[in-house]
Amino acid sequence: MLITFDTEKKINQFVTDIKNKNGVYFVWFFADYCDFCHQMNDEWEKLEKMTNTGNVNILKIEKSQLDLLGFEANISGYPTIRLYKNNSTPLEYSGDRTLDGFIKFIKQNKSKKRKNKSTKRKRKTKRKRKTKRKNK
């Protein structure tokens, strides 16, 4: 695949923003030989054309462009879709490969801070037990 100046510029901006803990990126890593990637392309192009993704940058990076990243992306298969936020561990997307699926995932995750749900449940359970013991 031919790497255009515009594509290289977007990838460089992505790398800079992520290293500086600035910006949110929804990134599709794909390979030209991947049939699943070709099937998903129309939906991704619809997403790229949208202007209301809520300050989330939409980016598409082909396998041959990975060396432009300057960091190890650890891509084990294609397509791989991730949401990068403020230099934290990227969130892996595994939902439907549709425009609606992408939008739903972005809205749910673009500004949320991750919480450890199991820890939260344990704390609630302990509080309930303490309350029951005090009332007896």
Side-chain angles (χ1 to χ4, degrees):
M1 172 178 219
L2 177 66
I3 300 173
T4 64
F5 174 74
D6 187 45
T7 303
E8 188 173 348
K9 184 177 174 184
K10 286 179 182 177
I11 293 171
N12 289 336
Q13 186 63 52
F14 162 65
V15 171
T16 302
D17 285 350
I18 294 304
K19 286 181 179 177
N20 292 328
K21 299 181 181 183
N22 184 23
V24 179
Y25 284 82
F26 196 49
V27 182
W28 172 28
F29 297 95
F30 73 101
D32 279 336
Y33 59 79
C34 171
D35 288 334
F36 295 114
C37 295
H38 289 285
Q39 293 170 11
M40 193 179 98
N41 193 54
D42 290 341
E43 295 296 305
W44 193 266
E45 285 180 357
K46 290 176 192 174
L47 181 65
E48 287 178 323
K49 291 176 184 172
M50 291 185 66
T51 56
N52 61 346
T53 53
N55 296 327
V56 175
N57 299 288
I58 309 300
L59 187 60
K60 182 173 160 179
I61 300 177
E62 205 273 330
K63 180 182 177 184
S64 66
Q65 299 167 323
L66 290 175
D67 61 330
L68 296 175
L69 293 177
F71 65 88
E72 185 63 43
N74 295 320
I75 306 299
S76 59
Y78 296 96
T80 295
I81 305 168
R82 294 182 180 151
L83 183 72
Y84 289 82
K85 301 186 306 184
N86 304 326
N87 204 24
S88 65
T89 304
L91 298 173
E92 196 86 21
Y93 177 78
S94 61
D96 292 338
R97 296 174 185 154
T98 62
L99 180 61
D100 290 339
F102 299 148
I103 292 170
K104 183 178 178 182
F105 181 80
I106 289 169
K107 285 181 179 178
Q108 288 176 342
N109 295 289
K110 70 179 178 185
S111 59
K112 275 187 182 178
K113 291 184 178 177
R114 286 196 238 171
K115 295 179 182 176
N116 186 339
K117 290 181 183 178
S118 61
T119 303
K120 190 175 180 180
R121 281 190 204 127
K122 286 178 186 176
R123 287 182 188 152
K124 281 185 177 179
T125 306
K126 285 181 181 179
R127 280 189 215 137
K128 285 180 184 177
R129 286 182 189 157
K130 285 180 182 179
T131 307
K132 285 180 182 179
R133 288 180 188 159
K134 286 180 182 178
N135 293 336
K136 287 185 178 183

